[in-house]
Amino acid sequence: AWRAEGPMDVDTKSIAFFGQADWRVTQWLGLTFGARYTEEDKKIDIRQTDLSSFNYDVLNCPVNGTGFIPNVGVVPCPTFARFPHADDPLRLYTRNTPDQSFSNFSMKLGVQLHPTDDVMVYGSYSEGYKSGGWSTRASVPVAQPIVFSEETAKTYEAGVKSTLFDGRVQANLAAFTTAYDDVQLLIQVGPNPQIRNFGTAKIQGVEGDVVVKVNDVVSFMASAGVLDSELRNLTDISAPNALQLGIVNGAELLKVPDFKFNFSPRVAAPVGRHSVTFQADYTYTAKMWNDSQRSFLLRRPATHVVNASIMFKHGNGWSLAGGVTNLTEERFIVNGLTSTAGQIYGSPNRPREFYARLGFEF
């Protein structure tokens, strides 16, 4: 069996300058300006080794033996097996991996309109950034480091926030679109996970939420979102196979359901100087992919999750709460990977769990 291990030293130095200013120009107009500048320097030394000499066994070339390469002649087995350093014949990664440096300037611009004291209409543009790095696991010799570059995103959002009926109703609605460039995705290459850049991607959607205070005792919150995602202009692909749909132009992104809905009722009953609060929440999430390569057996079905809790709050400020999460014990896969050899790895969600919590105000 193949077995590899080894220490890895990573040194990251990051410095950033950022700020944001909100300017209420008039009673009905507000502006937002924000910016961030980031610099990162990264160093790495990957000393992973092939402890079982698996690659030598496969090639039938002992670590201390020799092999024959056409047009080259007899060479030491580390060279024959393409290990990067003959003097360290079990080391899979090359020494002296080049450092990486990244810099980015991102900004945020926003405008807010206040037609009344209880309604705000807004629009914004913002930029995001995620630095690059190295994929650090290998099962075969690596002569050149496996690197990935930075990912950037641009988001446009517009919406409305409102407080209605003397504060008894809060309602918000937003629409957004986010465009990613050099999107980073985790894929499985043989037995090893790797991060690669795959081109561009887009996520867009509409989200809304409402909080209703029926009276001083009963209230509820509800929210819903409709999302759409797509990979575009791919510079790399992961071809479809019998186990996966792969990463191709037009593919959906992982962890992006088409629809999500939440409903949470709450009852807060006074008991003299104290109070007892009952709360439950139900969340429906449409089916979605759990991995970038869209493995059929790892796809998460539509899920229905229910949580419930009760809390007693004493008039002196301390509280005691208890509850249960995943009340109906809904079970599903939350992440995983599929290797080209047909091995499928998945992690389930947490089962039904009970908890108790004691709190103090001071």
Side-chain angles (χ1 to χ4, degrees):
W2 176 76
R3 186 165 69 96
E5 67 176 40
M8 177 177 63
D9 294 330
V10 181
D11 183 13
T12 300
K13 295 181 180 179
S14 179
I15 184 171
F17 302 92
F18 56 90
Q20 179 172 312
D22 295 293
W23 180 25
R24 189 70 175 261
V25 182
T26 67
Q27 185 176 357
W28 59 270
L29 175 64
L31 299 175
T32 297
F33 304 92
R36 178 187 179 97
Y37 177 76
T38 304
E39 280 194 0
E40 280 189 298
D41 296 310
K42 295 185 174 182
K43 299 179 180 180
I44 196 167
D45 183 23
I46 309 168
R47 300 189 297 278
Q48 186 182 8
T49 55
D50 181 4
L51 294 181
S52 60
S53 304
F54 179 78
N55 289 278
Y56 293 97
D57 294 340
V58 169
L59 295 170
N60 194 27
C61 190
V63 175
N64 297 318
T66 59
F68 180 80
I69 300 178
N71 302 321
V72 176
V74 176
V75 298
C77 278
T79 303
F80 178 76
R82 298 187 177 182
F83 278 76
H85 304 293
D87 63 337
D88 195 354
L90 298 180
R91 178 171 176 143
L92 290 165
Y93 267 86
T94 180
R95 301 182 187 124
N96 302 319
T97 300
D99 301 343
Q100 293 199 68
S101 296
F102 304 95
S103 62
N104 174 263
F105 176 80
S106 299
M107 64 177 180
K108 178 179 181 178
L109 303 174
V111 57
Q112 304 89 39
L113 303 177
H114 303 265
T116 71
D117 291 340
D118 298 325
V119 177
M120 180 185 75
V121 180
Y122 70 93
S124 67
Y125 166 79
S126 58
E127 298 174 337
Y129 161 76
K130 186 192 299 182
S131 66
W134 301 267
S135 288
T136 58
R137 182 177 170 184
S139 57
V140 296
V142 178
Q144 298 294 329
I146 305 169
V147 301
F148 56 93
S149 61
E150 63 267 32
E151 172 187 290
T152 58
K154 297 178 180 179
T155 298
Y156 298 88
E157 181 177 344
V160 57
K161 296 180 181 293
S162 62
T163 302
L164 309 171
F165 305 108
D166 295 325
R168 290 192 173 275
V169 176
Q170 295 180 20
N172 306 311
L173 182 66
F176 74 93
T177 179
T178 300
Y180 298 86
D181 195 21
D182 289 323
V183 62
Q184 299 171 0
L185 297 177
L186 178 69
I187 67 170
Q188 191 80 357
V189 181
N192 301 311
Q194 290 184 9
I195 298 177
R196 292 184 182 176
N197 298 97
F198 276 86
T200 66
K202 187 175 184 179
I203 298 179
Q204 55 191 359
V206 178
E207 298 176 339
D209 63 82
V210 60
V211 179
V212 178
K213 188 176 181 180
V214 180
N215 52 42
D216 292 339
V217 175
V218 180
S219 63
F220 69 84
M221 181 184 71
S223 64
V226 178
L227 298 173
D228 178 66
S229 65
E230 184 181 16
L231 284 166
R232 302 174 172 181
N233 307 312
L234 294 184
T235 55
D236 194 357
I237 66 168
S238 175
N241 55 52
L243 302 174
Q244 305 165 317
L245 283 180
I247 300 175
V248 297
N249 281 302
E252 294 176 286
L253 287 167
L254 76 162
K255 309 292 188 183
V256 182
D258 293 337
F259 179 72
K260 190 170 185 177
F261 171 77
N262 173 266
F263 178 73
S264 178
R266 184 174 185 267
V267 176
V271 182
R273 297 175 49 243
H274 322 303
S275 66
V276 178
T277 301
F278 303 88
Q279 185 162 333
D281 69 79
Y282 162 77
T283 301
Y284 168 82
T285 306
K287 59 186 178 181
M288 66 175 121
W289 299 104
N290 272 319
D291 66 323
S292 299
Q293 292 163 291
R294 299 186 295 165
S295 300
F296 301 118
L297 292 180
L298 292 176
R299 192 175 195 186
R300 188 187 309 184
T303 58
H304 308 263
V305 177
V306 179
N307 305 315
S309 67
I310 181 172
M311 180 180 71
F312 171 78
K313 186 173 182 180
H314 194 276
N316 291 334
W318 61 269
S319 62
L320 180 63
V324 55
T325 59
N326 194 8
L327 178 64
T328 59
E329 202 157 24
E330 185 99 344
R331 302 313 305 270
F332 47 89
I333 299 296
V334 295
N335 56 61
L337 289 169
T338 297
S339 75
T340 53
Q343 296 169 311
I344 300 175
Y345 310 89
S347 300
N349 69 313
R350 300 179 73 91
R352 181 191 299 124
E353 294 178 312
F354 299 89
Y355 67 89
R357 182 172 61 243
L358 179 64
F360 299 91
E361 290 183 1
F362 55 88

